[in-house]
């Protein structure tokens, strides 16, 4: 039976919700791949701790970290007088900055928080590069 935020292994009870949710996600995936329950929990626990170290929580008060949107794709695109971050599939601009560098830094931070992807465009609209935080 897959675990969730209300039904999870006892060994995860003292984890912060953000890390516990990541461990649950990893453990469920490992069990789908055929790992034995105890082994899946051990691996998921270690990987969730590593993920937490590599992807710090950038939310202001930590409350957003309990259930962040996951696996988003953000685009860094030219915008009137600067650069913008746009969520794929939406016409809404998340943020606008004067320089491409500060726009990219914020987009990477957001993608790191929700295990997303950043696709960086050139001024002419062509894709320049991408960053994957999944």
């Amino acid at each position: 039976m897959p675990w969730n935020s209300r039904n999870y292994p006892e060994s995860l009870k003292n984890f912060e919700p953000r890390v516990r949710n990541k461990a649950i996600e990893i453990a469920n995936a490992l069990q789908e791949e055929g790992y034995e329950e105890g082994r899946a929990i051990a691996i998921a626990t270690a990987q969730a701790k590593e993920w937490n170290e590599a992807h710090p929580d950038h939310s202001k008060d930590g409350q957003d970290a309990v259930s962040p949107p996951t696996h988003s794709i953000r685009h860094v695109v030219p915008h009137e007088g600067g650069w913008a971050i746009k969520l794929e599939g939406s016409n809404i601009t998340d943020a606008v900055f004067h320089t491409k560098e500060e726009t990219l830094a914020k987009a990477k931070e957001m993608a790191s928080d929700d295990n997303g992807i950043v696709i960086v465009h050139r001024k002419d609209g062509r894709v320049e590069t991408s960053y994957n935080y999944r």
Side-chain angles (χ1 to χ4, degrees), residues 45-59:
T45 299
Q47 288 185 354
K49 288 177 181 178
E50 286 178 23
W51 170 84
N52 188 48
E53 294 280 324
H55 299 87
D57 180 11
H58 294 105
S59 63

Side-chain angles (χ1 to χ4, degrees), residues 1-28 65-68 70:
M1 176 173 93
W3 292 299
N4 58 48
S5 61
R6 292 191 178 134
N7 179 27
Y8 50 83
E10 181 73 17
S11 60
L12 301 179
K13 75 175 185 174
N14 292 323
F15 280 60
E16 293 177 22
R18 177 175 181 265
V19 180
R20 180 174 48 239
N21 289 339
K22 182 51 110 176
I24 290 167
E25 177 186 332
I26 294 168
N28 284 335
V66 175
S67 56
T70 57

Side-chain angles (χ1 to χ4, degrees), residues 72-126:
S72 65
I73 300 175
R74 290 183 175 81
H75 294 262
V76 172
V77 296
H79 189 73
E80 305 161 7
W83 291 83
I85 301 170
K86 289 196 173 188
L87 192 59
E88 187 165 88
S90 172
N91 292 328
I92 299 171
T93 301
D94 283 342
V96 178
F97 297 90
H98 294 291
T99 69
K100 186 175 186 179
E101 291 75 23
E102 58 189 338
T103 308
L104 179 56
K106 181 62 177 176
K108 285 178 166 181
E109 179 182 299
M110 295 165 81
S112 174
D113 286 347
D114 68 14
N115 302 322
I117 294 174
V118 176
I119 299 174
V120 184
H121 296 262
R122 294 184 169 110
K123 279 201 179 250
D124 64 8
R126 292 183 302 149

